[in-house]
Amino acid sequence: MEHLILSKKQIAKITADIGHKLSKDLAKEKKIPVVIGIMKGSMNFMMDVMKNLEVDVFTDYIQVSSYNGTKTTGKVILKRDLSFDIKGRTVVVIEDIVDTGVSMNYLMDFLKDRYHPKRIILVALVDKRSRRKEKVKIDYAGMILKEDEFLLGYGLDYNELGRNLPEIYGLTNKEVRKLAGKINKEII
Ligand code: IMP
Ligand code: MG
């Protein structure tokens, strides 16, 4: 895995920058804003951004799963809902990567329809725009990935593996196949 996409240093800079910008953006909120992490991929990123926030925030988590089978548009299901009502509050949604945009589109509609927040600010570490199918407005992006490649590490997984890597790597197809072989020997 020699193809480094984001080093620890770059991640530290990105999370500090986003944290400071968000702090300014959230400074005048009357009600305490809620930072929502999308499980599980954005956990590392969420915590690092949070450490750079200079305003009071509540935190919550939501989990969705996307299934990209044979159909062109993936089907998204909600696996875990929020634990409290965010009605009328500004929410900051933290995502690891926006790829086709299908999951994020679903999540945005879900949050708006079900909770009626005051506004939603979307933060994504990686904007993989080459594969975008549905329009997504990302307010703060850590980086734009122009190539269509598979990323692993710092929360990003391949079938639940690799989330613990401290940096982000781009995988060749051969490396993905190697990982797939490793997983086949294990039952999660
Ligand atoms: P989308 O619905 O196609 O935008 O996919 C969103 C989800 O797919 C992300 O939140 C990730 O969990 C996962 N995903 C997309 N691209 C990658 C990648 O390169 N590495 C790991 N996970 C990815
Ligand atoms: Mg995700």
Side-chain angles (χ1 to χ4, degrees):
M1 273 179 255
E2 33 275 324
H3 182 41
L4 187 63
I5 300 281
L6 284 180
S7 67
K8 283 185 196 171
K9 210 173 156 187
Q10 285 170 309
I11 290 171
K13 188 181 182 309
I14 288 170
T15 51
D17 283 351
I18 291 178
H20 293 136
K21 283 179 191 159
L22 267 178
S23 300
K24 278 189 197 153
D25 201 336
L26 299 172
K28 293 197 178 85
E29 292 295 329
K30 287 196 180 74
K31 283 184 174 178
I32 295 176
V34 189
V35 177
I36 298 174
I38 305 178
M39 290 169 75
K40 305 172 192 170
S42 76
M43 296 298 98
N44 301 28
F45 179 49
M46 177 189 188
M47 293 311 151
D48 285 341
V49 169
M50 294 252 295
K51 286 175 222 165
N52 289 287
L53 287 183
E54 295 136 32
V55 291
D56 287 332
V57 289
F58 291 136
T59 57
D60 208 346
Y61 304 91
I62 197 162
Q63 189 172 11
V64 289
S65 231
S66 55
Y67 289 105
N68 295 299
T70 49
K71 289 182 192 128
T72 45
T73 47
K75 188 174 170 272
V76 185
I77 55 161
L78 184 78
K79 285 190 120 178
R80 184 196 187 277
D81 202 349
L82 297 176
S83 64
F84 68 87
D85 195 355
I86 56 168
K87 188 171 186 231
R89 291 183 196 275
T90 287
V91 301
V92 179
V93 170
I94 311 260
E95 176 63 309
D96 49 4
I97 184 165
V98 179
D99 185 11
T100 62
V102 174
S103 313
M104 192 44 71
N105 232 291
Y106 168 89
L107 196 69
M108 286 294 169
D109 286 347
F110 173 81
L111 290 175
K112 284 177 202 160
D113 294 349
R114 175 147 178 168
Y115 291 106
H116 304 283
K118 184 182 150 203
R119 66 170 168 142
I120 302 177
I121 299 169
L122 176 58
V123 180
L125 177 57
V126 184
D127 178 358
K128 202 199 260 188
R129 37 176 86 159
S130 64
R131 291 186 14 109
R132 197 65 36 86
K133 280 184 201 148
E134 291 190 21
K135 205 171 165 232
V136 175
K137 187 180 165 281
I138 303 174
D139 298 287
Y140 300 99
M143 74 166 284
I144 293 163
L145 184 77
K146 292 202 186 86
E147 304 77 24
D148 172 13
E149 62 183 333
F150 192 80
L151 305 188
L152 190 77
Y154 190 63
L156 290 162
D157 72 308
Y158 178 76
N159 284 352
E160 299 297 330
L161 227 56
R163 296 195 198 275
N164 54 313
L165 297 170
E167 302 173 303
I168 297 186
Y169 298 90
L171 265 63
T172 59
N173 289 337
K174 200 177 155 197
E175 283 166 333
V176 172
R177 277 198 301 275
K178 209 170 138 191
L179 250 182
K182 200 166 159 184
I183 291 161
N184 280 340
K185 294 190 197 113
E186 285 271 340
I187 300 163
I188 302 172

